[in-house]
Amino acid sequence: MAETVIPTRSEPGSTRRERTGWYLYDWAMSAFSTTVLTVFLGPFLTSVAKLAAGCELGADDCVGYVYPLGVKVAAGSYFPYLVSASVFLTVFVLPIVGAVADRSAHKKRILAVTAFTGAGATIAMVFVTGDRYLLGGGLFVVANIAFGASVVVYNSFLPHLGGPDDRDAISSRGWALGYLGGGLLLALNLVVVTMFSRDGDGQRTLDLARASIVSAGVWWAVFTLAPLRWLRERPSVDAVAGAGGRGNVLVDGFRQLGRTLRQIRAYPLTLFFLLAFLVYNDGIQTVIALASQYGTEELKLEQGTLIVTILLVQFLAFGGALLLGALAKRIGAWKTVLLSLVLWTGVILAAFWLPAQAPVHFMILGGAIGLVLGGSQALSRSLFSQLIPAGKEGEYYGFYEISDKGTSWLGPLAFGLVFQLTNSYRVGLVSLLIFFVVGFALLAAVPIRRAIIAAGNTPPRVL
């Protein structure tokens, strides 16, 4: 059977209404990543697992074991294992979702299915009461995989929303609005928890955490309605190429994914960029994941300080994404991301020298993280959009999202091994420098203009 010829991407166009709809999905889904993943779900599911293991609420010294699928698991390890399981499954699911989205003329429907599946599973956490740790774990795995799948579909709209010179600003605005929305709901939930929690009442704390998680699912579902209404469908790959539908879109998606995996070697520079992103983004994700642990265990900071710092990061990341987006307009996204990696290196070094029990210093460092965090991620996304062959946005963003989530175990592994050898969180933190240094070197080695042309796209005026 003859190969489908993918036409060169023409200059895309979009309306302000459509771009606003796209921004609002970041606003919608970020509630899950902040309120659920970052703050409430880990402690909530751990408490539920401990109840199932026979521990009392608030008994921090109780070890206890649960037996999901007959496997003996320490209650305190249940949530990390769930994260690993969802990440493992995500590696297989996301490229398939991307391939199916590219073959479908109804990409918004796929966005709706993935988003509402994730939001629905999050809302269903309302039924995770008592010792129902298996129900909570299953709902989390479904929600996390659906979340990643919806991000793949959402990202695949980006190349259609603006030309090469517009995407950095579009991506930065979306990322900034996401941090603002996620931070707003998190702030509201933290206010409610602070007002209604009682010292020594573990059940009330658990109920408030559950309500906060459910609120994120409702937020996600409600604000997804705007992008579903305002985003515009584009013709499928087959329709654009004049091939017409050849069969079931799911079967065609699997076939196309197989062809892409065989042909991806034709775009070695795109793969090289993905490798660079894999390395430096792993460092970024590890800093985000371990900042609270570093603050409590090494710097001996109170929980209130950590909460304020998390909110500070969220709201400053809004401004940071816009600030680095504006800088990219002057010097280009590639140079701006390289600059951000230098700033990340400075953040790691500054964290190493932070004195213990100094909350103001920690908050200042959190502010610095917020300013560089949103921009480095938003511009990496828009830069990658320039390196995707036309008609394969979903597939390639599937691989990109795997690099974002499926490999984020490398940094925590390095951190954990160094801590085990040195018994020092500070030395463990410094070990993360290798991710930013190596990632910088790899990204700097990408001939970015040549890579864009090799993918069949028109480079922006400023890189």
Side-chain angles (χ1 to χ4, degrees), residues 116-335:
F116 289 136
T117 297
T122 306
I123 295 170
M125 288 283 183
V126 71
F127 300 111
V128 182
T129 56
D131 60 357
R132 297 177 179 176
Y133 76 99
L134 284 175
L135 175 61
L139 289 172
F140 163 66
V141 170
V142 171
N144 206 32
I145 293 174
F147 174 76
S150 74
V151 173
V152 169
V153 182
Y154 162 72
N155 284 341
S156 70
F157 280 95
L158 177 57
H160 303 288
L161 297 177
D165 296 306
D166 303 319
R167 289 181 208 153
D168 293 336
I170 292 172
S171 181
S172 296
R173 291 186 196 116
W175 214 287
L177 202 62
Y179 275 112
L180 187 61
L184 178 60
L185 181 64
L186 178 58
L188 292 173
N189 279 319
L190 290 175
V191 167
V192 171
V193 169
T194 303
M195 289 177 60
F196 293 99
S197 61
R198 295 174 183 169
D199 292 338
D201 191 343
Q203 185 59 55
R204 179 179 286 256
T205 301
L206 201 63
D207 291 340
L208 289 170
R210 183 189 303 108
S212 298
I213 292 167
V214 171
S215 74
V218 174
W219 180 287
W220 186 2
V222 169
F223 285 106
T224 294
L225 296 175
L228 292 179
R229 182 174 179 84
W230 294 343
L231 282 171
R232 184 159 54 91
E233 295 282 20
R234 262 73 180 189
S236 67
V237 171
D238 286 332
V240 172
R246 290 197 302 271
N248 184 278
V249 68
L250 181 60
V251 174
D252 282 348
F254 272 102
R255 289 172 177 166
Q256 179 57 39
L257 179 59
R259 286 194 292 269
T260 296
L261 289 172
R262 292 192 298 270
Q263 298 168 1
I264 199 168
R265 290 176 297 177
Y267 304 101
L269 297 179
T270 299
L271 283 176
F272 198 66
F273 174 88
L274 266 181
L275 175 62
F277 175 76
L278 180 157
V279 174
Y280 71 73
N281 190 65
D282 205 284
I284 294 173
Q285 297 301 322
T286 304
V287 172
I288 296 170
L290 299 179
S292 294
Q293 183 179 6
Y294 184 73
T296 55
E297 300 296 329
E298 182 66 33
L299 303 181
K300 310 301 180 184
L301 297 172
E302 298 292 333
Q303 190 68 28
T305 299
L306 299 179
I307 290 174
V308 171
T309 304
I310 289 172
L311 290 174
L312 187 66
V313 169
Q314 286 295 127
F315 290 113
L316 283 179
F318 167 76
L322 296 178
L323 181 64
L324 290 188
L327 181 62
K329 195 169 184 178
R330 297 178 65 88
I331 69 173
W334 180 59
K335 296 185 184 73

Side-chain angles (χ1 to χ4, degrees), residues 3 52 81 102 107 117 135 149 176 235 262 267 269 295 338 385 449:
E3 287 290 326
Y81 287 156
D102 285 336
K107 192 179 293 187
T117 297
L135 175 61
R262 292 192 298 270
Y267 304 101
L269 297 179
L338 288 171
S385 75
R449 186 174 297 275

Side-chain angles (χ1 to χ4, degrees), residues 37-81:
L37 294 181
T38 303
V39 178
F40 287 105
L41 188 64
F44 173 75
L45 281 184
T46 300
S47 296
V48 174
K50 285 186 174 182
L51 283 174
C55 300
E56 294 184 4
L57 283 175
D60 295 331
D61 56 343
C62 179
V63 179
Y65 294 91
V66 290
Y67 297 85
L69 303 179
V71 179
K72 184 179 180 180
V73 173
S77 299
Y78 181 58
F79 181 67
Y81 287 156

